[in-house]
Amino acid sequence: MNRRRAGRPALWLLPLAFLLVFYFYPLGRVLALSFSQWVSKGLAGWNWAVVRDAVGFTLYQAALSTLLTVLLGLPAAYLFARFQFRGKEFLRVATTLPFILPTVVVAAGFNALIGPRGWLNLLLMGAFHLAQPPIAIQNTLAAILLAHVFYNLSIVIRTVAAAWEGIDARLENAARTLGASPFRVLHEVTLPLLRPAILSALLLVFLFDFTSFGVILMMGGPQFTTLEVEIYIQTMQFLNLPLAGLLALIQLAFCMLITGTLIGTGRSMDVPLMPRVRQENLRGARGFTEKIFVVGLSAFLIILLVLPLLALTAQAFFIQSEAGGWHFSLTFFRQLFLNPRSSIFYVPPITALRNSLLYALAASSLALVLGMLVALGASSNSRLNRWLDWLVMLPLGTSAVTFGLALFLAFGMSVSAPRWYPLLIPLAHALIALPFVLRLIEPALRSIPPNLKWAAATLGASPRRVWREVELPIIRRAAATAFVYAFAISLGEFGATSFLTRPDIPTLPIAVYRYLSLPGTLNFGQAMAMAVVLLVVCAASMFLVDRLQLSFNIKEETRKHA
Amino acid sequence: MLEISRIRKHYDGQLLLDDISFSVGESETVCLLGPSGGGKSTLLRIIAGLEEMESGRVLWDGQDISDVPAHSRRFGLMFQDYALFPHMSVSQNIAFGLRMQNVETGEIQKRVAEALELVNMPRFGGRRVTDLSGGEQQRIALARALVARPRLLMLDEPLGALDRALREQLSADLWQVLDRMDIPVIYVTHDQQEAFAFADRMLILHDGRILQSGTPQEIYSRPVTPWLAEFMGHRNAINGEVVSLQPLQIQTECGLLECGRAFGQPAIGKKVTLVLPADAARVADRSKNLLRAQVCRAQFQGAGYSVEFRLANGQEMAFFFPEALPAGKQVTLSIRPQAILCYA
């Protein structure tokens, strides 16, 4: 009898084995470590003050960041969903970029703008002949919040704008003709319709703020430690692995709770890649208030989103001469190829780029293969498949640092480990990228009407040929998008990598972080130069994804077959 | 040729196909007619090997092919939404089945060109299928199904997705193409006019069973149940009681009606349903089988008029007349006894 409808559960075996070895086993090690400590020392043996402070600050900063992001994101989403204005395309790209930017680039960008050596301080020092930088925002809560807003604004804009665009402007017009004031239209028509999107954006932003690591580490300084940073410090500085493990478990519980809420309430974990707003709902700004709103908000968004990146680029290309003037120079980039005796690595910094590219290539290939296998295996809707599908999404609810610690504990502790454990980096990156890959490939595969596959079969195509000639070509673009996405994620990954990296095989984000934390103009400049390289590669990936999104989608709607 | 034996299938816990058996002869066109959602498409997919059945067999030339996978059966199936591959051109779509049969390239080109010629779209080969209109897609889907020279062609509502004007035009084209093909065809539709146009033989699928099988004329004039009579377009039904068996006479609220053969077992005093076909009435030209009625309105239908009447009991009926009757007029209708369908 024909078994095509039974799905292809055998395809699960490889991804499942992979998850078992590189996800569940390492997490199990974290659990075991903390548990053994518990047994030997009991509840009193822990430094509860550290735990309390970390949890408290993590929640506090995440809540504050989320609130700020949403408050700014909602008007911005409105701007995108309803208005047509000059420079919109540029702004669209500008709001898209941060989402995929590595944390180190964001940190470097704000450093270049408002840090002690940042343009703003240089400008003020020059203008008022000051000896010290007047703005000391670096290492304050404000810096953290700023970076988080920069980072997550695009999530709110894209999620909410996509939903807002889906609301027919005629609904709002109908409410107006029925006598509702603009405020009441917003209150009684628009916001209720947007609520699911806003809530899902809220939860997602909170999750990202909660698990933020690089931003806090680089912009908050030593006095601000979230759970993520505390795990890192306890592991790397104090080698207090049981405490790190406990913190990781607490972190895991929180993340699972948030992710579970997201998935459990049926909210989407996906951020629409690019809202392309239907034309009929768009209009130009009318009247003075609207013009002020459009011009003011778009200017503010550009300043917030573009200025740090411009500042970063300028810091990398301009160098201050002895006389005090600035001139264009490629010195910092040239330095990347040298390996001076005083270097913090044993290799020229540029090898970090090569390492990062190789890791990213391996990680994205692996993530794509695993994602394809899972998506194909999940193509039937049995209970087992739904359960397995959920299992694969778990890495999304695991913070990068927790995951890094887990892998470090599981594979990085033995004497011989340092020789091969950098190989764990692409594996870790692949697992981190896997949920994103799946969320791109699965819908594409599901969007293929069964009739297409059936038509191919009745025309003589075996299941294998149906896959090769029909399914694969149709999901090709989704797969390419997923690949580029995974590539960019791997390229910028910092949290997990920081546990697994070896001094002589640095990745680009690690190198930027190391150089940023060192004193000296040359180190700062080199950090900027590397961040620019990272920025360019990520921006190029994003551009590629955008082009791929212009692809066709299958117009035929899936009909019900009875 | 094709023989279907005792197929059963549940869908969402409901019995969708209950013991379906029929056969299709050489170059015969069988129309499978039934209401939407009645399992017709599922039955096609089972025959094609795309879906599993719970029990039953599919035989070809006496051989059981129930275990032969879909891609080895060489049964062509054309879907209602055409299922053209969106990532391939028109030519590539048509060539797909030939490539699967490993036909050589030159031969493929020749046969694709012939197929395009057959459906009157010779210059469409390089087009994207997504740029085609509904009618063009339908013809390409037909060409794609036929070019692989299937042993059996199954069409699932081939005209269902088209608007009415296009449907009538393409219906004629489709008939020509099918007439030229010398293969058995199973044609699925929920539209009786379409079935009348194409069928050598009609099968009525209702409640998971084959209710009646026969030529279009047989089924139209002698539908075996009141439901089928209504499905065939007979709208005039009236209840009554049997008062005489030889001849069969029924007392209704509006008069005594004599009819020919009855379905079921009539007995004196038994309640029956009479269905009066639209073409069974004349303005009184006999002395029996009379119905008193008042003309409500006459609706012009081109070849004649559909005249609506109100009977003495307030019930409304419509009959077909070549001329209009003035609204409000009281008339006496006489009904042809042999045309009356009596369901006991």
Side-chain angles (χ1 to χ4, degrees), chain A residues 1-2 451-452 454-455 457 460-461 469 473-474 559 561-562, chain B residues 11 42 45 49-50 52 67 71 79 81 83-85 87 99 144:
Chain A
M1 201 105 320
N2 190 334
N451 273 359
L452 284 187
W454 289 336
E469 308 242 5
I474 289 177
R559 291 197 174 84
H561 303 278
Chain B
Y11 194 85
T42 307
R45 288 202 297 273
L50 296 166
E52 291 183 33
D67 289 333
H71 61 273
F79 294 88
D81 59 2
L84 296 175
F85 304 126
H87 57 296
R99 280 202 297 120
R144 184 179 71 176

PDB file of all heavy atoms in Angstrom, chain A residues 1-2 451-452 454-455 457 460-461 469 473-474 559 561-562, chain B residues 11 42 45 49-50 52 67 71 79 81 83-85 87 99 144:
ATOM      1  N   MET A   1       0.841  -1.210   0.000  1.00  0.00           N
ATOM      2  CA  MET A   1       0.000   0.000   0.000  1.00  0.00           C
ATOM      3  C   MET A   1       0.863   1.242   0.000  1.00  0.00           C
ATOM      4  O   MET A   1       1.987   1.237   0.499  1.00  0.00           O
ATOM      5  CB  MET A   1      -0.877  -0.052   1.249  1.00  0.00           C
ATOM      6  CG  MET A   1      -2.093   0.779   1.164  1.00  0.00           C
ATOM      7  SD  MET A   1      -3.725   0.091   0.916  1.00  0.00           S
ATOM      8  CE  MET A   1      -3.661  -1.207  -0.217  1.00  0.00           C
ATOM      9  N   ASN A   2       0.337   2.276  -0.544  1.00  0.00           N
ATOM     10  CA  ASN A   2       1.089   3.513  -0.654  1.00  0.00           C
ATOM     11  C   ASN A   2       1.269   4.177   0.712  1.00  0.00           C
ATOM     12  O   ASN A   2       0.342   4.354   1.458  1.00  0.00           O
ATOM     13  CB  ASN A   2       0.275   4.442  -1.561  1.00  0.00           C
ATOM     14  CG  ASN A   2       1.062   5.659  -1.934  1.00  0.00           C
ATOM     15  OD1 ASN A   2       1.960   6.063  -1.202  1.00  0.00           O
ATOM     16  ND2 ASN A   2       0.731   6.241  -3.057  1.00  0.00           N
ATOM     17  N   ASN A 451      -1.698  18.949  -4.214  1.00  0.00           N
ATOM     18  CA  ASN A 451      -2.013  18.632  -5.603  1.00  0.00           C
ATOM     19  C   ASN A 451      -0.781  18.636  -6.498  1.00  0.00           C
ATOM     20  O   ASN A 451      -0.692  17.856  -7.437  1.00  0.00           O
ATOM     21  CB  ASN A 451      -3.001  19.666  -6.154  1.00  0.00           C
ATOM     22  CG  ASN A 451      -4.420  19.279  -5.852  1.00  0.00           C
ATOM     23  OD1 ASN A 451      -4.649  18.223  -5.253  1.00  0.00           O
ATOM     24  ND2 ASN A 451      -5.361  20.104  -6.249  1.00  0.00           N
ATOM     25  N   LEU A 452       0.172  19.533  -6.210  1.00  0.00           N
ATOM     26  CA  LEU A 452       1.373  19.588  -7.054  1.00  0.00           C
ATOM     27  C   LEU A 452       2.132  18.284  -6.964  1.00  0.00           C
ATOM     28  O   LEU A 452       2.599  17.737  -7.964  1.00  0.00           O
ATOM     29  CB  LEU A 452       2.270  20.744  -6.624  1.00  0.00           C
ATOM     30  CG  LEU A 452       1.854  22.143  -7.018  1.00  0.00           C
ATOM     31  CD1 LEU A 452       2.949  23.122  -6.668  1.00  0.00           C
ATOM     32  CD2 LEU A 452       1.552  22.211  -8.503  1.00  0.00           C
ATOM     33  N   TRP A 454       0.888  15.398  -5.999  1.00  0.00           N
ATOM     34  CA  TRP A 454       0.067  14.341  -6.575  1.00  0.00           C
ATOM     35  C   TRP A 454       0.132  14.379  -8.096  1.00  0.00           C
ATOM     36  O   TRP A 454       0.209  13.332  -8.751  1.00  0.00           O
ATOM     37  CB  TRP A 454      -1.387  14.497  -6.109  1.00  0.00           C
ATOM     38  CG  TRP A 454      -1.573  14.165  -4.669  1.00  0.00           C
ATOM     39  CD1 TRP A 454      -0.777  13.352  -3.912  1.00  0.00           C
ATOM     40  CD2 TRP A 454      -2.603  14.630  -3.793  1.00  0.00           C
ATOM     41  NE1 TRP A 454      -1.265  13.295  -2.629  1.00  0.00           N
ATOM     42  CE2 TRP A 454      -2.381  14.057  -2.530  1.00  0.00           C
ATOM     43  CE3 TRP A 454      -3.702  15.475  -3.967  1.00  0.00           C
ATOM     44  CZ2 TRP A 454      -3.215  14.301  -1.440  1.00  0.00           C
ATOM     45  CZ3 TRP A 454      -4.531  15.705  -2.884  1.00  0.00           C
ATOM     46  CH2 TRP A 454      -4.285  15.131  -1.626  1.00  0.00           C
ATOM     47  N   ALA A 455       0.086  15.581  -8.660  1.00  0.00           N
ATOM     48  CA  ALA A 455       0.154  15.697 -10.120  1.00  0.00           C
ATOM     49  C   ALA A 455       1.457  15.090 -10.624  1.00  0.00           C
ATOM     50  O   ALA A 455       1.476  14.330 -11.589  1.00  0.00           O
ATOM     51  CB  ALA A 455       0.050  17.157 -10.539  1.00  0.00           C
ATOM     52  N   ALA A 457       3.226  12.806  -9.174  1.00  0.00           N
ATOM     53  CA  ALA A 457       3.204  11.350  -9.000  1.00  0.00           C
ATOM     54  C   ALA A 457       2.407  10.687 -10.124  1.00  0.00           C
ATOM     55  O   ALA A 457       2.844   9.695 -10.705  1.00  0.00           O
ATOM     56  CB  ALA A 457       2.611  10.992  -7.643  1.00  0.00           C
ATOM     57  N   GLY A 460       4.168  10.142 -13.215  1.00  0.00           N
ATOM     58  CA  GLY A 460       5.220   9.131 -13.227  1.00  0.00           C
ATOM     59  C   GLY A 460       6.430   9.455 -12.379  1.00  0.00           C
ATOM     60  O   GLY A 460       7.460   8.790 -12.490  1.00  0.00           O
ATOM     61  N   ALA A 461       6.355  10.480 -11.497  1.00  0.00           N
ATOM     62  CA  ALA A 461       7.515  10.820 -10.689  1.00  0.00           C
ATOM     63  C   ALA A 461       7.480  10.034  -9.380  1.00  0.00           C
ATOM     64  O   ALA A 461       6.491  10.077  -8.658  1.00  0.00           O
ATOM     65  CB  ALA A 461       7.541  12.320 -10.408  1.00  0.00           C
ATOM     66  N   GLU A 469      12.349  17.402  -8.120  1.00  0.00           N
ATOM     67  CA  GLU A 469      11.888  18.201  -9.256  1.00  0.00           C
ATOM     68  C   GLU A 469      10.788  19.194  -8.888  1.00  0.00           C
ATOM     69  O   GLU A 469      10.561  20.147  -9.616  1.00  0.00           O
ATOM     70  CB  GLU A 469      11.357  17.279 -10.365  1.00  0.00           C
ATOM     71  CG  GLU A 469      12.340  16.195 -10.744  1.00  0.00           C
ATOM     72  CD  GLU A 469      12.768  16.307 -12.193  1.00  0.00           C
ATOM     73  OE1 GLU A 469      12.367  17.265 -12.859  1.00  0.00           O
ATOM     74  OE2 GLU A 469      13.492  15.417 -12.629  1.00  0.00           O
ATOM     75  N   PRO A 473      12.892  22.628  -5.878  1.00  0.00           N
ATOM     76  CA  PRO A 473      12.958  23.896  -6.625  1.00  0.00           C
ATOM     77  C   PRO A 473      12.038  24.962  -6.040  1.00  0.00           C
ATOM     78  O   PRO A 473      12.364  26.149  -6.082  1.00  0.00           O
ATOM     79  CB  PRO A 473      12.495  23.510  -8.036  1.00  0.00           C
ATOM     80  CG  PRO A 473      12.707  22.053  -8.134  1.00  0.00           C
ATOM     81  CD  PRO A 473      12.552  21.494  -6.759  1.00  0.00           C
ATOM     82  N   ILE A 474      10.897  24.542  -5.487  1.00  0.00           N
ATOM     83  CA  ILE A 474       9.959  25.541  -4.980  1.00  0.00           C
ATOM     84  C   ILE A 474      10.455  26.153  -3.674  1.00  0.00           C
ATOM     85  O   ILE A 474      10.289  27.345  -3.438  1.00  0.00           O
ATOM     86  CB  ILE A 474       8.551  24.920  -4.821  1.00  0.00           C
ATOM     87  CG1 ILE A 474       7.950  24.682  -6.208  1.00  0.00           C
ATOM     88  CG2 ILE A 474       7.634  25.843  -4.025  1.00  0.00           C
ATOM     89  CD1 ILE A 474       6.614  24.018  -6.204  1.00  0.00           C
ATOM     90  N   ARG A 559      -6.198  24.372  -1.249  1.00  0.00           N
ATOM     91  CA  ARG A 559      -7.624  24.123  -1.122  1.00  0.00           C
ATOM     92  C   ARG A 559      -7.889  22.923  -0.232  1.00  0.00           C
ATOM     93  O   ARG A 559      -7.028  22.088   0.002  1.00  0.00           O
ATOM     94  CB  ARG A 559      -8.229  23.873  -2.511  1.00  0.00           C
ATOM     95  CG  ARG A 559      -8.232  25.107  -3.351  1.00  0.00           C
ATOM     96  CD  ARG A 559      -9.203  24.927  -4.506  1.00  0.00           C
ATOM     97  NE  ARG A 559      -9.308  26.173  -5.241  1.00  0.00           N
ATOM     98  CZ  ARG A 559      -8.449  26.530  -6.187  1.00  0.00           C
ATOM     99  NH1 ARG A 559      -7.448  25.746  -6.491  1.00  0.00           N
ATOM    100  NH2 ARG A 559      -8.599  27.663  -6.823  1.00  0.00           N
ATOM    101  N   HIS A 561      -9.286  19.433   0.470  1.00  0.00           N
ATOM    102  CA  HIS A 561      -9.577  18.272  -0.364  1.00  0.00           C
ATOM    103  C   HIS A 561     -10.417  17.304   0.432  1.00  0.00           C
ATOM    104  O   HIS A 561      -9.992  16.819   1.463  1.00  0.00           O
ATOM    105  CB  HIS A 561      -8.295  17.603  -0.814  1.00  0.00           C
ATOM    106  CG  HIS A 561      -7.399  18.545  -1.535  1.00  0.00           C
ATOM    107  ND1 HIS A 561      -7.558  18.844  -2.847  1.00  0.00           N
ATOM    108  CD2 HIS A 561      -6.376  19.292  -1.096  1.00  0.00           C
ATOM    109  CE1 HIS A 561      -6.657  19.735  -3.204  1.00  0.00           C
ATOM    110  NE2 HIS A 561      -5.931  20.021  -2.150  1.00  0.00           N
ATOM    111  N   ALA A 562     -11.598  17.072  -0.064  1.00  0.00           N
ATOM    112  CA  ALA A 562     -12.462  16.144   0.661  1.00  0.00           C
ATOM    113  C   ALA A 562     -12.736  14.924  -0.205  1.00  0.00           C
ATOM    114  O   ALA A 562     -12.584  14.973  -1.407  1.00  0.00           O
ATOM    115  CB  ALA A 562     -13.767  16.816   1.018  1.00  0.00           C
TER     116      ALA A 562
ATOM    117  N   TYR B  11     -13.335   9.303   6.446  1.00  0.00           N
ATOM    118  CA  TYR B  11     -12.628  10.586   6.449  1.00  0.00           C
ATOM    119  C   TYR B  11     -13.120  11.364   7.652  1.00  0.00           C
ATOM    120  O   TYR B  11     -14.319  11.586   7.802  1.00  0.00           O
ATOM    121  CB  TYR B  11     -12.921  11.343   5.150  1.00  0.00           C
ATOM    122  CG  TYR B  11     -12.014  12.501   4.902  1.00  0.00           C
ATOM    123  CD1 TYR B  11     -10.773  12.307   4.278  1.00  0.00           C
ATOM    124  CD2 TYR B  11     -12.375  13.781   5.292  1.00  0.00           C
ATOM    125  CE1 TYR B  11      -9.930  13.368   4.051  1.00  0.00           C
ATOM    126  CE2 TYR B  11     -11.527  14.846   5.070  1.00  0.00           C
ATOM    127  CZ  TYR B  11     -10.313  14.633   4.450  1.00  0.00           C
ATOM    128  OH  TYR B  11      -9.475  15.700   4.222  1.00  0.00           O
ATOM    129  N   THR B  42     -11.756  12.050  -3.515  1.00  0.00           N
ATOM    130  CA  THR B  42     -11.045  11.016  -2.760  1.00  0.00           C
ATOM    131  C   THR B  42     -11.025   9.717  -3.559  1.00  0.00           C
ATOM    132  O   THR B  42     -10.005   9.032  -3.639  1.00  0.00           O
ATOM    133  CB  THR B  42     -11.739  10.795  -1.405  1.00  0.00           C
ATOM    134  OG1 THR B  42     -11.854  12.051  -0.750  1.00  0.00           O
ATOM    135  CG2 THR B  42     -10.940   9.840  -0.546  1.00  0.00           C
ATOM    136  N   ARG B  45      -8.461   9.905  -6.167  1.00  0.00           N
ATOM    137  CA  ARG B  45      -7.107   9.771  -5.639  1.00  0.00           C
ATOM    138  C   ARG B  45      -6.804   8.330  -5.260  1.00  0.00           C
ATOM    139  O   ARG B  45      -5.672   7.876  -5.394  1.00  0.00           O
ATOM    140  CB  ARG B  45      -6.920  10.703  -4.435  1.00  0.00           C
ATOM    141  CG  ARG B  45      -6.830  12.168  -4.839  1.00  0.00           C
ATOM    142  CD  ARG B  45      -6.121  12.990  -3.780  1.00  0.00           C
ATOM    143  NE  ARG B  45      -6.844  12.994  -2.523  1.00  0.00           N
ATOM    144  CZ  ARG B  45      -7.822  13.860  -2.228  1.00  0.00           C
ATOM    145  NH1 ARG B  45      -8.149  14.779  -3.096  1.00  0.00           N
ATOM    146  NH2 ARG B  45      -8.421  13.808  -1.065  1.00  0.00           N
ATOM    147  N   GLY B  49      -3.936   5.957  -6.867  1.00  0.00           N
ATOM    148  CA  GLY B  49      -2.893   5.415  -5.988  1.00  0.00           C
ATOM    149  C   GLY B  49      -2.298   6.460  -5.076  1.00  0.00           C
ATOM    150  O   GLY B  49      -1.250   6.255  -4.480  1.00  0.00           O
ATOM    151  N   LEU B  50      -2.954   7.619  -4.955  1.00  0.00           N
ATOM    152  CA  LEU B  50      -2.423   8.701  -4.132  1.00  0.00           C
ATOM    153  C   LEU B  50      -2.927   8.620  -2.710  1.00  0.00           C
ATOM    154  O   LEU B  50      -2.414   9.276  -1.828  1.00  0.00           O
ATOM    155  CB  LEU B  50      -2.828  10.053  -4.730  1.00  0.00           C
ATOM    156  CG  LEU B  50      -2.255  10.345  -6.103  1.00  0.00           C
ATOM    157  CD1 LEU B  50      -2.967  11.519  -6.743  1.00  0.00           C
ATOM    158  CD2 LEU B  50      -0.769  10.628  -6.003  1.00  0.00           C
ATOM    159  N   GLU B  52      -4.729   5.947   0.406  1.00  0.00           N
ATOM    160  CA  GLU B  52      -4.982   4.562   0.768  1.00  0.00           C
ATOM    161  C   GLU B  52      -6.467   4.317   0.966  1.00  0.00           C
ATOM    162  O   GLU B  52      -7.187   5.202   1.395  1.00  0.00           O
ATOM    163  CB  GLU B  52      -4.248   4.230   2.071  1.00  0.00           C
ATOM    164  CG  GLU B  52      -2.749   4.209   1.898  1.00  0.00           C
ATOM    165  CD  GLU B  52      -2.059   3.812   3.188  1.00  0.00           C
ATOM    166  OE1 GLU B  52      -2.638   2.996   3.932  1.00  0.00           O
ATOM    167  OE2 GLU B  52      -0.972   4.320   3.434  1.00  0.00           O
ATOM    168  N   ASP B  67      -1.512  -2.347  -5.065  1.00  0.00           N
ATOM    169  CA  ASP B  67      -0.228  -2.076  -4.428  1.00  0.00           C
ATOM    170  C   ASP B  67       0.768  -1.360  -5.332  1.00  0.00           C
ATOM    171  O   ASP B  67       1.889  -1.079  -4.935  1.00  0.00           O
ATOM    172  CB  ASP B  67       0.398  -3.386  -3.928  1.00  0.00           C
ATOM    173  CG  ASP B  67      -0.367  -3.919  -2.733  1.00  0.00           C
ATOM    174  OD1 ASP B  67      -0.971  -3.092  -2.024  1.00  0.00           O
ATOM    175  OD2 ASP B  67      -0.373  -5.146  -2.522  1.00  0.00           O
ATOM    176  N   HIS B  71       3.085   6.508  -9.159  1.00  0.00           N
ATOM    177  CA  HIS B  71       3.892   6.913 -10.299  1.00  0.00           C
ATOM    178  C   HIS B  71       4.118   5.792 -11.293  1.00  0.00           C
ATOM    179  O   HIS B  71       4.672   6.005 -12.363  1.00  0.00           O
ATOM    180  CB  HIS B  71       5.228   7.508  -9.831  1.00  0.00           C
ATOM    181  CG  HIS B  71       6.078   6.568  -9.048  1.00  0.00           C
ATOM    182  ND1 HIS B  71       5.971   6.417  -7.692  1.00  0.00           N
ATOM    183  CD2 HIS B  71       7.057   5.741  -9.436  1.00  0.00           C
ATOM    184  CE1 HIS B  71       6.865   5.529  -7.281  1.00  0.00           C
ATOM    185  NE2 HIS B  71       7.528   5.108  -8.320  1.00  0.00           N
ATOM    186  N   PHE B  79      -6.294  17.955 -12.073  1.00  0.00           N
ATOM    187  CA  PHE B  79      -6.896  18.479 -10.854  1.00  0.00           C
ATOM    188  C   PHE B  79      -7.762  19.696 -11.135  1.00  0.00           C
ATOM    189  O   PHE B  79      -7.563  20.419 -12.106  1.00  0.00           O
ATOM    190  CB  PHE B  79      -5.793  18.876  -9.864  1.00  0.00           C
ATOM    191  CG  PHE B  79      -5.018  17.702  -9.364  1.00  0.00           C
ATOM    192  CD1 PHE B  79      -3.904  17.236 -10.053  1.00  0.00           C
ATOM    193  CD2 PHE B  79      -5.401  17.049  -8.209  1.00  0.00           C
ATOM    194  CE1 PHE B  79      -3.193  16.159  -9.603  1.00  0.00           C
ATOM    195  CE2 PHE B  79      -4.691  15.964  -7.747  1.00  0.00           C
ATOM    196  CZ  PHE B  79      -3.591  15.512  -8.443  1.00  0.00           C
ATOM    197  N   ASP B  81      -7.785  22.480  -9.558  1.00  0.00           N
ATOM    198  CA  ASP B  81      -7.005  23.733  -9.586  1.00  0.00           C
ATOM    199  C   ASP B  81      -5.805  23.601 -10.527  1.00  0.00           C
ATOM    200  O   ASP B  81      -4.884  24.385 -10.476  1.00  0.00           O
ATOM    201  CB  ASP B  81      -6.578  24.130  -8.173  1.00  0.00           C
ATOM    202  CG  ASP B  81      -5.736  23.063  -7.513  1.00  0.00           C
ATOM    203  OD1 ASP B  81      -5.458  22.036  -8.171  1.00  0.00           O
ATOM    204  OD2 ASP B  81      -5.342  23.237  -6.358  1.00  0.00           O
ATOM    205  N   ALA B  83      -3.037  22.361 -10.718  1.00  0.00           N
ATOM    206  CA  ALA B  83      -1.761  21.929 -10.127  1.00  0.00           C
ATOM    207  C   ALA B  83      -0.604  22.018 -11.119  1.00  0.00           C
ATOM    208  O   ALA B  83       0.217  21.118 -11.222  1.00  0.00           O
ATOM    209  CB  ALA B  83      -1.880  20.508  -9.564  1.00  0.00           C
ATOM    210  N   LEU B  84      -0.554  23.111 -11.858  1.00  0.00           N
ATOM    211  CA  LEU B  84       0.614  23.321 -12.728  1.00  0.00           C
ATOM    212  C   LEU B  84       1.806  23.705 -11.864  1.00  0.00           C
ATOM    213  O   LEU B  84       1.654  24.415 -10.872  1.00  0.00           O
ATOM    214  CB  LEU B  84       0.319  24.438 -13.740  1.00  0.00           C
ATOM    215  CG  LEU B  84      -0.810  24.133 -14.723  1.00  0.00           C
ATOM    216  CD1 LEU B  84      -1.097  25.351 -15.584  1.00  0.00           C
ATOM    217  CD2 LEU B  84      -0.471  22.939 -15.586  1.00  0.00           C
ATOM    218  N   PHE B  85       2.989  23.221 -12.241  1.00  0.00           N
ATOM    219  CA  PHE B  85       4.171  23.509 -11.439  1.00  0.00           C
ATOM    220  C   PHE B  85       4.575  24.974 -11.633  1.00  0.00           C
ATOM    221  O   PHE B  85       4.919  25.372 -12.750  1.00  0.00           O
ATOM    222  CB  PHE B  85       5.325  22.587 -11.831  1.00  0.00           C
ATOM    223  CG  PHE B  85       4.953  21.133 -11.723  1.00  0.00           C
ATOM    224  CD1 PHE B  85       5.115  20.278 -12.798  1.00  0.00           C
ATOM    225  CD2 PHE B  85       4.438  20.620 -10.536  1.00  0.00           C
ATOM    226  CE1 PHE B  85       4.768  18.938 -12.704  1.00  0.00           C
ATOM    227  CE2 PHE B  85       4.090  19.289 -10.432  1.00  0.00           C
ATOM    228  CZ  PHE B  85       4.251  18.445 -11.520  1.00  0.00           C
ATOM    229  N   HIS B  87       7.117  26.661 -10.881  1.00  0.00           N
ATOM    230  CA  HIS B  87       8.516  26.977 -11.158  1.00  0.00           C
ATOM    231  C   HIS B  87       8.931  26.514 -12.547  1.00  0.00           C
ATOM    232  O   HIS B  87      10.107  26.554 -12.881  1.00  0.00           O
ATOM    233  CB  HIS B  87       9.405  26.350 -10.101  1.00  0.00           C
ATOM    234  CG  HIS B  87       9.240  24.861  -9.982  1.00  0.00           C
ATOM    235  ND1 HIS B  87       8.072  24.269  -9.587  1.00  0.00           N
ATOM    236  CD2 HIS B  87      10.101  23.857 -10.222  1.00  0.00           C
ATOM    237  CE1 HIS B  87       8.236  22.953  -9.589  1.00  0.00           C
ATOM    238  NE2 HIS B  87       9.445  22.678  -9.965  1.00  0.00           N
ATOM    239  N   ARG B  99       9.522  13.313 -19.404  1.00  0.00           N
ATOM    240  CA  ARG B  99      10.847  13.159 -18.797  1.00  0.00           C
ATOM    241  C   ARG B  99      10.852  12.021 -17.792  1.00  0.00           C
ATOM    242  O   ARG B  99      11.810  11.260 -17.697  1.00  0.00           O
ATOM    243  CB  ARG B  99      11.262  14.466 -18.105  1.00  0.00           C
ATOM    244  CG  ARG B  99      11.788  15.512 -19.070  1.00  0.00           C
ATOM    245  CD  ARG B  99      12.663  16.520 -18.363  1.00  0.00           C
ATOM    246  NE  ARG B  99      11.923  17.279 -17.362  1.00  0.00           N
ATOM    247  CZ  ARG B  99      12.218  17.285 -16.076  1.00  0.00           C
ATOM    248  NH1 ARG B  99      13.230  16.573 -15.626  1.00  0.00           N
ATOM    249  NH2 ARG B  99      11.505  17.994 -15.241  1.00  0.00           N
ATOM    250  N   ARG B 144      -0.890  18.465 -20.414  1.00  0.00           N
ATOM    251  CA  ARG B 144       0.116  17.786 -19.600  1.00  0.00           C
ATOM    252  C   ARG B 144      -0.330  16.377 -19.232  1.00  0.00           C
ATOM    253  O   ARG B 144       0.465  15.442 -19.228  1.00  0.00           O
ATOM    254  CB  ARG B 144       0.378  18.596 -18.320  1.00  0.00           C
ATOM    255  CG  ARG B 144       1.478  18.014 -17.475  1.00  0.00           C
ATOM    256  CD  ARG B 144       1.737  18.837 -16.243  1.00  0.00           C
ATOM    257  NE  ARG B 144       0.645  18.716 -15.268  1.00  0.00           N
ATOM    258  CZ  ARG B 144       0.662  19.284 -14.069  1.00  0.00           C
ATOM    259  NH1 ARG B 144       1.697  20.023 -13.693  1.00  0.00           N
ATOM    260  NH2 ARG B 144      -0.347  19.133 -13.236  1.00  0.00           N
TER     261      ARG B 144
END
